Amino acid sequence: MLDANLKNQLQTYLQNLKRPVELVVSADESKKSQELASLANDIASLSSLVSIKEAQGSRTPAMTVVNPELNTQISFAGLPMGHEFTSLVLALLHTGGHPIKLSDEVIEQIRNLPGKYEFETYVSLTCQNCPDVIQALNMMAAINPNITNVMIDGALFQDEVAERNVMAVPSVYLNGEVFAAGRISIGEILNKLDTGAASRKAEELSQKAPYEVLVVGGGPAGAAAAIYAARKGLRTGVVADKFGGQVSETVGIENFISVKETEGPKLVANLEAHVRDYEVDIMDNQKAVKLASDGLFELELASGAKLRSRTVLLATGARWREMNVPGEKEYRGKGVAYCPHCDGPLFKGKRVAVIGGGNSGIEAAIDLANIVEHVTVLEFDSKLRADDVLQRKAASMGNIHIITQALTTEVTGDGTRVNGLNYTDRATGENHHIALAGIFVQIGLVPNAEWLKGTVELTPHGEIIVDERGQTSIPGVFAAGDVTNSPYKQIIIAMGSGANASLGAFDYLIRHSDDSTETKSTDTKAA
């Protein structure tokens, strides 16, 4: 099942095992079952601490990674390859006693959760967001024997997916009930399970000493800003709803100079590792809701926590733009999707639409055409805006139909899932209906700056207006990246603007000295 190179790499990892690991395999005569059995045999051949046991489970094919001593269980229903192979490797390591990269505080919180938690997580093996969720739940399952998680390949277990009406991944169920949809971190999971965690964390954050630079956002702009501030010896904090931002949902990246190609999650991991090389206080899973000033700037978080800083650097990025038509919100996750790589496999052999004829829209159509029966692209303009090379590729595929001057007016469904959409031909005024199983929206981005309306000056499109140093309309408040009025929204440009704004904040600080005792003490610590 595994080639020689992968076996060699895996054997090196398995040398970190400290205790026995048992692979409980549920297989039949199907091709996928035989592939899973072959994978299990390959793994067992690479370490004397790994053994195999056959047992018929509720799902086949499936494999459960068991710690016989602690009775922890991590299951994979399907063949954990693609993006999820890393999840399998980590499950083996964590079950086998390799240290889990979580703080002692978080490990203790997981270990002390009361009750029993049976998680089921539906994924697609091409979903770049799914491994983060699987690995978070698997780490919890490796720590607490009362927590189990099973990864379910939605493309393989289609009857189960249909029965539960799963039309977006990752979809997480807890004890048989819907728990979460989309990317979710360990911190967010714990906040939902441990109801007192959020208030305890808010109290802890509010006690922190003032920062010299407080970065709001953990995407490329925020990461670059934090690194540049820390390198100047400034007391630096980063507040992020989720580290990595929009980049974590990007698959192929081929225009990041000096890196021929990479993937969003890999770039995000490198960004975070780079930031953590410096004395930067990272506060993840925290959403900013208000910015005020009373001598120092005060940033209020959704949890109720309040952070103070001499300067603030806003790098909150952007999110997918919605169509804002009837039915879109009702059927979100029930046929309306925004990530073709994640959710595309759930629509195998079906008819879908892509809304938007820019690069992202045509790229989505090309990717989906290799999975689904037919793709209809609807573009509002009279012509496509995608690069010529993408247009030629789409035209060469026999199952992509492009409609221009199409105004989508409604998403239709049967109450549980999408069954089509209505659109108006802008050239003739005629109304049309297309029968569909899924709709992928790819119409650009919206800046995450609504919470700043009335605080800093924004463009009519809601972007933060900045000058050449990245300063906003408020002295001491800077901004960078996709949330600003920068005309080009690119990763490399966001990083550059983050560095630029951070240097602007440093320049502001050296020109506006603060003689308060509190700030002097933090300056000393930073030095």
Side-chain angles (χ1 to χ4, degrees):
M1 181 64 194
L2 301 176
D3 62 34
N5 182 49
L6 206 51
K7 280 186 178 180
N8 288 335
Q9 292 182 48
L10 183 55
Q11 187 171 36
T12 301
Y13 283 122
L14 294 181
Q15 290 175 3
N16 293 302
L17 297 181
K18 296 177 175 59
R19 58 194 178 207
V21 174
E22 189 175 73
L23 302 180
V24 180
V25 179
S26 174
D28 54 26
E29 298 303 316
S30 68
K31 181 181 178 182
K32 288 293 183 184
S33 283
Q34 295 309 304
E35 289 177 345
L36 183 64
S38 176
L39 174 62
N41 286 324
D42 282 350
I43 295 170
S45 71
L46 300 175
S47 173
S48 60
L49 289 174
V50 180
S51 61
I52 298 176
K53 178 181 177 181
E54 294 182 4
Q56 202 61 36
S58 58
R59 296 182 181 89
T60 299
M63 178 170 67
T64 301
V65 183
V66 178
N67 178 333
E69 297 175 9
L70 302 179
N71 197 32
T72 62
Q73 300 183 33
I74 299 169
S75 299
F76 298 87
L79 192 63
M81 299 302 287
H83 285 307
E84 291 302 346
F85 184 69
T86 301
S87 300
L88 172 61
V89 174
L90 289 173
L92 291 165
L93 293 175
H94 295 154
T95 301
H98 188 63
I100 295 175
K101 292 183 179 180
L102 294 174
S103 69
D104 293 341
E105 178 188 358
V106 171
I107 290 174
E108 196 62 23
Q109 185 181 3
I110 294 170
R111 188 173 286 130
N112 293 330
L113 284 172
K116 195 172 182 65
Y117 306 90
E118 295 182 357
F119 288 100
E120 300 167 293
T121 309
Y122 293 88
V123 307
S124 69
L125 301 184
T126 57
C127 167
Q128 74 274 13
N129 289 323
C130 294
D132 287 347
V133 178
I134 293 296
Q135 289 161 25
L137 291 168
N138 284 355
M139 282 193 284
M140 294 176 65
I143 293 168
N144 188 334
N146 291 318
I147 300 173
T148 59
N149 180 51
V150 53
M151 181 214 81
I152 305 166
D153 180 355
L156 185 59
F157 291 87
Q158 291 185 341
D159 289 344
E160 189 173 328
V161 163
E163 182 180 345
R164 279 188 161 172
N165 199 32
V166 177
M167 301 191 74
V169 291
S171 285
V172 182
Y173 283 71
L174 172 59
N175 299 335
E177 301 293 329
V178 176
F179 177 76
R183 195 164 177 262
I184 187 170
S185 66
I186 277 188
E188 292 169 306
I189 295 168
L190 288 174
N191 283 341
K192 295 185 75 168
L193 299 180
D194 183 356
T195 54
S199 59
R200 292 197 303 272
K201 187 65 176 178
E203 185 176 350
E204 176 192 328
L205 293 178
S206 294
Q207 298 302 314
K208 288 181 178 287
Y211 298 94
E212 291 176 291
V213 177
L214 180 59
V215 180
V216 188
I227 289 169
Y228 268 70
R231 286 177 62 86
K232 292 294 186 182
L234 302 174
R235 176 172 160 78
T236 305
V238 174
V239 178
D241 188 13
K242 61 176 182 179
F243 204 95
Q246 194 74 19
V247 175
S248 61
E249 300 177 15
T250 304
V251 181
I253 299 171
E254 299 177 348
N255 58 355
F256 190 74
I257 310 305
S258 83
V259 178
K260 187 175 179 181
E261 59 181 313
T262 187
E263 295 182 347
K266 191 179 294 185
L267 179 58
V268 168
N270 290 338
L271 282 175
E272 185 170 0
H274 196 174
V275 173
R276 291 188 184 278
D277 276 345
Y278 296 90
E279 291 186 15
V280 175
D281 187 4
I282 298 177
M283 295 159 278
D284 212 348
N285 307 310
Q286 300 292 334
K287 186 175 182 179
V289 295
K290 185 179 180 182
L291 178 63
S293 176
D294 184 16
L296 292 172
F297 291 105
E298 184 177 81
L299 185 74
E300 183 177 341
L301 308 180
S303 65
K306 293 181 179 180
L307 301 169
R308 294 164 296 159
S309 183
R310 290 178 60 191
T311 63
V312 173
L313 200 154
L314 305 166
T316 47
R319 63 186 183 278
W320 293 116
R321 184 181 299 277
E322 298 179 351
M323 296 183 292
N324 292 318
V325 300
E328 181 180 17
K329 291 189 184 300
E330 179 184 353
Y331 291 105
R332 182 167 188 167
K334 300 177 182 178
V336 174
Y338 301 84
C339 179
H341 300 283
C342 301
D343 301 332
L346 300 178
F347 296 87
K348 183 178 180 179
K350 299 178 181 178
R351 302 178 73 87
V352 302
V354 171
I355 311 300
N359 283 345
S360 60
I362 300 304
E363 285 174 352
I366 292 169
D367 289 340
L368 288 166
N370 292 311
I371 303 170
V372 304
E373 178 189 346
H374 186 270
V375 182
T376 301
V377 177
L378 287 87
E379 164 58 40
F380 180 83
D381 204 350
S382 59
K383 60 183 182 301
L384 298 180
R385 293 167 286 108
D387 292 343
D388 185 61
V389 64
L390 295 174
Q391 293 191 42
R392 290 200 306 271
K393 176 65 175 176
S396 72
M397 305 184 78
N399 60 343
I400 296 178
H401 176 55
I402 296 170
I403 303 173
T404 57
Q405 298 201 73
L407 172 63
T408 304
T409 56
E410 183 181 10
V411 173
T412 64
D414 60 8
T416 58
R417 60 177 62 199
V418 164
N419 62 20
L421 66 75
N422 297 329
Y423 77 93
T424 299
D425 185 326
R426 296 175 56 238
T428 66
E430 295 178 354
N431 297 319
H432 301 273
H433 176 78
I434 307 175
L436 300 162
I439 300 167
F440 292 84
V441 183
Q442 300 284 292
I443 53 175
L445 302 170
V446 177
N448 294 317
E450 294 93 341
W451 63 286
L452 293 164
K453 191 174 183 179
T455 303
V456 298
E457 188 178 356
L458 306 176
T459 70
H461 298 294
E463 301 165 317
I464 301 173
I465 297 173
V466 295
D467 64 15
E468 68 277 4
R469 284 183 168 79
Q471 185 163 261
T472 69
S473 56
I474 300 177
V477 177
F478 297 79
D482 287 0
V483 74
T484 72
N485 58 332
S486 170
Y488 305 111
K489 314 300 185 186
Q490 298 289 317
I491 295 170
I492 197 164
I493 292 173
M495 285 184 176
S497 69
N500 181 71
S502 189
L503 293 173
F506 175 72
D507 185 66
Y508 174 88
L509 286 169
I510 61 178
R511 295 172 186 275
H512 297 78
S513 60
D514 186 336
D515 294 326
S516 70
T517 304
E518 190 170 33
T519 304
K520 280 184 178 178
S521 66
T522 61
D523 286 350
T524 303
K525 290 178 184 177

